[in-house]
Amino acid sequence: MRTNKPILYPSLFNRLYSVWYRHFRIYTKNLVSNGLPPFLEPLIFLAGMGLGLSKFLVEMDHLPYIQFLATGLLVTTAMFTAAFECSFGTFIRMEFDKVYDGMLAAPINVRNLLIGEILWAGTKGFFFTFAVLCMLTLFGILPLNGSTLLSPFVGFLTGVMFASISLLITSFVKDINQFNFYFSGFLSPMFFFSGVVFPIGNLPPVLRPVAEIFPLTHTVRLVRAVCFFKFNYSLLLDFLFILVITLIVAYFAIQRLGRKLVT
Amino acid sequence: MTGNDVIRIRHICKTFDDLKAVRDLSFSVRESACFSILGPNGAGKTTLMGMVYGRTRRDKNKESRVSVFGYDPLHEELKIKYLAGVVPQENNLDEELNVMQNLDIYSRFYQIPKKTARDRIHSLLEFMELQDKKKSRIRELSGGMKRRLIIVRALLNNPRLLILDEPTTGLDPQVRHLIWDKIRQLKKERTTILLTTHYMDEAFQLADKILIMDNGRKILEGEPKVLLKRNIERYVMEVMSREKYNKMKTDLDRKRVRSDEVHEVALLYSNDLAYLKSRASRLTAGDHFIRQTNLEDLFLKTTGRKLNENQ
């Protein structure tokens, strides 16, 4: 009994937006406990590192150390928030809270659900980078100008990329504790060896190509270029790397998690 | 005449790795009917429901067909989901939010305009007798309230098909009767209902047609009263004492009674009420009980008394 009237289910944009909106509402429900830490964390980190180490480290890559480190933090914060959202967050929504059972009964398909998830993690990346930027500007570590204001967009890219990677990891995880391997085996090394804490040039030559494989390396380069308004053509390669990695990883993540959700 | 079928399923199967969850099942559900699927845990009820709204993909084979409002869930799941409301087996409300906020989020999924959504939420909360809980947090709600709220959520888009996966499991009798009443009202308003349950009285109360399944297979299908008439004796005597039963069992007329003696209580089924009464005269009042057979007897007869590996 097909109906004669066409069935006007929501458009693709609306389906993605409704997934995003669901996460937005949950996140902003506890605005103080969710929204304040992104502003405080960079302060603690910079105070700890800056006060203690800046005496010994004068310059890195021709930048005062505090500026070198601070600009790196702009994207690591986006990386970590997106990674948490799409590993522990996604797993809990899927296995414990059964949130997706409800959402997938509404007129959205599993691709819409997972892309919405990635876009939301990108948004959190944007916001977390913005929070760090506010602090860096407030304490005079970075000047505020049109160029530094672009850094949250790099935060968005970082968030989207690490959301995709994390969803792919989630598709393999059977027990929530297995995420510990992902965080201490993959994300923490990346934090230290992607040119955030010290330049990649300081690594032994054999290890440098490894750092080039780390996705974070490329977003760090982009964000520093944006912060100091120093652009060159090799940044296009970094951008391309991020784009290609994100697309490929997101594709496989959606395939694999999709098969878990729609059996 | 199949013109009024909302759901038409032919020869569907579903295999998970080496588990055959649904095996060659067919049935149809007419518009504004209540169709109930009964079966023990692990019989494949939820898998079957999932294949109706695109949450589970059926095995590929040439004969299998699923049509819901004329659409195949493999290809047009969004249309089906737009026309259907689903109450999943497990509650999954957003605990951080209050009642109104939970519903507001879901009204976005259907792109219901804000004003319309607000009005509809208010009238649905009233319908489910939750109007005083608008601002309550989810964790302040009782189990029965949560379940009613999920039904409200499933009704947000005025569905023409309501899919209920064990809607009243674990609820107290008052709430169960309230929910049954609401389901009857929805049926009157021409909503088609697909329901799974373990409760035979629930199926008997609500369903126009039932399908009993076990191990992924269809065992019986039909109107509850007709099924009872055709498939099981009219009366049963429960003998509570095994000892007394053992004494009487030697001179039972096996042509007139069928016995089921797996458990401590022995059950004697017969169409001949007078014969059962004559046997009862040898027992004392406290250790036996004669009643009409019900769906539960039929269910146990057809699906067996032993537990399967999934129960």
Side-chain angles (χ1 to χ4, degrees), chain B residues 95-108:
Chain B
E95 298 274 337
E96 295 91 338
L97 305 178
N98 69 25
V99 168
M100 285 298 282
Q101 291 163 337
N102 259 280
L103 296 170
D104 172 51
I105 283 176
Y106 270 77
S107 70
R108 302 290 171 113

Side-chain angles (χ1 to χ4, degrees), chain B residues 242-299:
Chain B
R242 192 75 197 201
E243 205 182 314
K244 296 208 170 139
Y245 174 69
N246 285 340
K247 272 185 206 155
M248 66 187 284
K249 86 174 176 188
T250 44
D251 57 330
L252 278 177
D253 180 357
R254 292 289 170 178
K255 282 185 195 125
R256 287 156 107 175
V257 292
R258 177 175 64 85
S259 69
D260 175 353
E261 34 196 274
V262 174
H263 291 295
E264 192 53 34
V265 176
L267 299 169
L268 298 175
Y269 293 95
S270 175
N271 285 318
D272 189 341
L273 183 60
Y275 180 72
L276 283 182
K277 278 186 174 160
S278 73
R279 297 294 106 186
S281 62
R282 306 178 183 186
L283 301 165
T284 48
D287 50 24
H288 76 284
F289 172 59
I290 298 177
R291 59 174 173 80
Q292 287 197 322
T293 50
N294 57 31
L295 270 185
E296 189 143 330
D297 299 305
L298 177 63
F299 183 81

Side-chain angles (χ1 to χ4, degrees), chain A residues 1 11 22 34 36 43 45 47 70 76 88 90 116 124 137 146 159 164 182 186 192 196 212 216 231 233 245 263:
Chain A
M1 53 164 294
S11 64
R22 185 262 168 204
N34 282 332
L36 210 56
L43 275 189
F45 202 87
T76 56
F88 288 105
T90 298
K124 273 184 85 179
T137 310
S164 310
Y182 174 51
F186 185 66
F192 285 103
V196 175
E212 290 298 328
L216 185 63
F231 296 97
Y233 286 109
I245 284 288
T263 44

Side-chain angles (χ1 to χ4, degrees), chain A residues 158-176:
Chain A
T158 312
V160 165
M161 177 167 63
F162 281 98
S164 310
I165 296 171
S166 306
L167 285 183
L168 185 63
I169 299 290
T170 305
S171 77
F172 286 97
V173 158
K174 294 196 171 61
D175 178 307
I176 195 165

